[in-house]
Amino acid sequence: MGSITKSLFLIGVLAFTVGCKNSKKEPISKVETENNITIDLQKQIDDCEAQLEISVPKLTDLTKHPRLIETNETEWKQVPNHKLIWTSGFYPGILWYAYHATGNERWKEEAIKRTEVFEDFKNITEHHDIGFMMFPAYGLGYEIGGKKEYKDILLTSANSLASRFNPNVGTIRSWSNKMHPRWQQHITIIDNMLNLELLFWAAKHGGDQKLYDIAVTHAETTMEKHFRPDLTSWHVLEYDSINGNVLNHHTKQGYADDSRWSRGQAWGVYGYTMVYKETKDKKFLDFAQKITDKYLSLLPEDMVPCWDFDVAHDPNEEKDASAAAVVASALLDLSTFVEKKEDQERYYNAALKMLKSLGSDKYSAVGKADAFLLHSTGAKSLGHEIDVALIYADYYYIEALDRLRKMQEKK
Ligand code: GLY
């Protein structure tokens, strides 16, 4: 190589290297609380990135997405990106958070590719899961990836979701009766709280005010009807579609109709924390605190619940790490909303303990399988997804790590 060619080559390599690395995030030092809880946040983020280095090259068929890793298996089982499968948004969402937490452009490119394959889902009106599907992919793409062109897709998605609102009941109808024939009328499940984030986002970004109003009414009705006097949540409520009366309190994924399904309570904790963030209405903060305190009071030492609190006395019953990841992420936000310092510390410390436990050898999938986390339970009562890795456990886990990272940066 001549000296001019060599210099140009070196300048090229240097420019490429700087171009790739200049957005990389500075490492975060260990996070310690006043109660001596220490977590190595950077290591936990690095572990996630290392797991993505393994899974991304294996997951090349973009018409599918990873859903679970069966017990004792190592690779993701993939399911089609189909409008009736609620989990399509989580893997792209994980990649958006990985990009945000590391600054590595590779994850942004992968996130874009895996987001843009299901734009058509913006027209889903058959169920409520459109929020779970579109927000982690397109919503984070807009917020983290700067993909402003996703705005119209999100607005259309929000309108599709809002079309399922029944003003006689005051909630969005979660499921169709055809797919869930046990129920004949208007079904709302506690999980639906998470979908409200899409409506709030749309109302703030040029969508109709009615999207905001629907979200608030859904949250108010659910607060009034969906919780037992002891502040635990039912899973499925069937309402009379005409007069709005509650006809039945049931479950689909819990142990029994009247039992306390852990992830249901987790969706409530996350949902009301998010509704307070969006509305700043104190009644939602008070409620978020009450149901959070209930959830925390039911936890075992390692902060990861059994899949249903009502079978937790049996040591053979499986854990649900996904519930712990959902709540850890919510608690970091909640700790910044509450006024009293003791509450701030209580929620922050609990979140750190959960993240530390999830990142430990007991729950981490590092060296064992291609996920971030093991030991989640999706639907034991239906006989599947028992003690597995679940894509949404990983999603809320990396969301929580990224939230904690941002909190540290602010400090
Ligand atoms: N939203 C469905 C579930 O929590 O399994």
Side-chain angles (χ1 to χ4, degrees):
M1 213 186 275
S3 62
I4 295 183
T5 323
K6 203 166 168 181
S7 309
L8 286 174
F9 175 75
L10 285 175
I11 290 168
V13 169
L14 191 65
F16 177 77
T17 314
V18 170
C20 287
K21 290 214 171 132
N22 66 1
S23 56
K24 283 248 166 132
K25 298 276 158 71
E26 288 296 316
I28 301 272
S29 46
K30 287 191 179 166
V31 185
E32 280 178 55
T33 69
E34 284 165 23
N35 281 15
N36 292 327
I37 304 160
T38 309
I39 78 164
D40 191 342
L41 176 59
Q42 190 59 50
K43 179 178 179 309
Q44 290 188 223
I45 292 172
D46 290 347
D47 280 350
C48 291
E49 192 169 27
Q51 294 299 85
L52 290 175
E53 303 271 3
I54 296 169
S55 69
V56 164
K58 292 184 188 174
L59 302 169
T60 52
D61 180 353
L62 302 188
T63 65
K64 295 180 182 161
H65 66 269
R67 164 74 176 243
L68 77 151
I69 303 178
E70 299 282 11
T71 323
N72 299 326
E73 292 195 8
T74 58
E75 296 195 349
W76 285 106
K77 190 167 172 176
Q78 296 184 72
V79 292
N81 285 327
H82 186 279
K83 65 179 183 175
L84 297 182
I85 300 180
W86 71 287
T87 41
S88 353
F90 292 120
Y91 197 61
I94 286 168
L95 290 160
W96 284 120
Y97 277 130
Y99 168 57
H100 200 231
T102 65
N104 186 344
E105 294 285 331
R106 177 178 173 201
W107 307 132
K108 179 178 179 180
E109 283 159 28
E110 290 293 340
I112 292 171
K113 274 197 303 199
R114 291 157 200 274
T115 293
E116 294 184 355
V117 283
F118 52 83
E119 182 184 335
D120 285 359
F121 292 177
K122 66 186 177 197
N123 297 315
I124 290 173
T125 53
E126 289 90 339
H127 56 73
H128 72 148
D129 285 323
I130 184 168
F132 275 116
M133 296 161 92
M134 299 307 268
F135 202 73
Y138 287 91
L140 296 188
Y142 183 99
E143 295 294 341
I144 291 176
K147 301 283 286 176
K148 301 299 171 205
E149 64 272 32
Y150 293 171
K151 180 173 156 180
D152 286 345
I153 299 169
L154 289 159
L155 292 179
T156 304
S157 307
N159 286 323
S160 300
L161 176 61
S163 74
R164 297 185 61 78
F165 180 72
N166 178 342
N168 299 337
V169 175
T171 69
I172 292 163
R173 190 166 147 212
S174 299
W175 293 333
S176 77
N177 310 95
K178 209 156 73 184
M179 281 174 66
H180 298 273
R182 180 178 181 192
W183 302 285
Q184 296 306 308
Q185 297 217 31
H186 179 105
I187 313 161
T188 299
I189 65 171
I190 187 64
D191 324 28
N192 204 330
M193 288 298 301
L194 278 276
N195 294 309
L196 305 183
E197 193 165 15
L198 173 65
L199 300 182
F200 285 122
W201 187 94
K204 273 193 301 207
H205 291 83
D208 200 292
Q209 167 70 23
K210 81 168 195 285
L211 299 171
Y212 180 96
D213 296 340
I214 287 173
V216 170
T217 305
H218 182 106
E220 285 171 344
T221 309
T222 301
M223 187 163 77
E224 190 194 334
K225 308 262 175 70
H226 220 113
F227 287 80
R228 305 179 181 95
D230 75 349
L231 296 164
T232 60
S233 168
W234 278 285
H235 182 201
V236 180
L237 254 61
E238 184 179 20
Y239 291 95
D240 184 301
S241 308
I242 308 294
N243 64 25
N245 290 339
V246 176
L247 299 174
N248 287 299
H249 301 88
H250 283 155
T251 196
K252 182 97 181 175
Q253 284 150 271
Y255 166 70
D257 282 337
D258 199 33
S259 72
R260 298 166 297 174
W261 178 48
S262 310
R263 197 166 58 258
Q265 190 78 8
W267 291 139
V269 167
Y270 193 109
Y272 281 97
T273 302
M274 178 271 295
V275 172
Y276 174 71
K277 177 158 74 178
E278 297 297 338
T279 61
K280 295 291 173 235
D281 184 334
K282 186 86 172 38
K283 69 174 184 263
F284 293 126
L285 181 62
D286 290 344
F287 193 66
Q289 278 200 260
K290 283 184 190 152
I291 60 176
T292 299
D293 291 346
K294 184 70 196 183
Y295 176 92
L296 294 176
S297 77
L298 296 168
L299 287 182
E301 191 63 25
D302 73 357
M303 306 301 273
V304 178
C306 178
W307 68 280
D308 190 300
F309 289 119
D310 286 298
V311 293
H313 54 273
D314 182 344
N316 295 319
E317 290 290 344
E318 294 77 10
K319 295 275 195 173
D320 184 13
S322 75
V326 168
V327 172
S329 185
L331 282 182
L332 290 172
D333 266 3
L334 189 59
S335 73
T336 67
F337 301 151
V338 289
E339 269 169 29
K340 286 194 202 145
K341 191 162 182 322
E342 75 183 64
D343 286 338
Q344 292 168 7
E345 283 179 5
R346 206 158 54 80
Y347 295 136
Y348 183 72
N349 291 348
L352 258 66
K353 276 177 149 178
M354 288 172 196
L355 289 177
K356 186 172 177 139
S357 184
L358 291 173
S360 72
D361 194 45
K362 184 171 176 190
Y363 292 100
S364 168
V366 173
K368 299 171 190 158
D370 294 353
F372 303 156
L373 300 179
L374 300 174
H375 306 311
S376 290
T377 297
K380 178 156 181 178
S381 51
L382 306 177
H384 52 81
E385 298 183 340
I386 303 164
D387 194 21
V388 295
L390 287 170
I391 196 65
Y392 44 94
D394 284 12
Y395 173 80
Y396 289 99
Y397 177 62
I398 196 169
E399 177 181 87
L401 295 178
D402 191 46
R403 274 186 185 173
L404 184 57
R405 188 192 58 76
K406 276 189 287 180
M407 288 166 84
Q408 293 308 305
E409 271 179 2
K410 270 194 199 147
K411 279 184 191 165

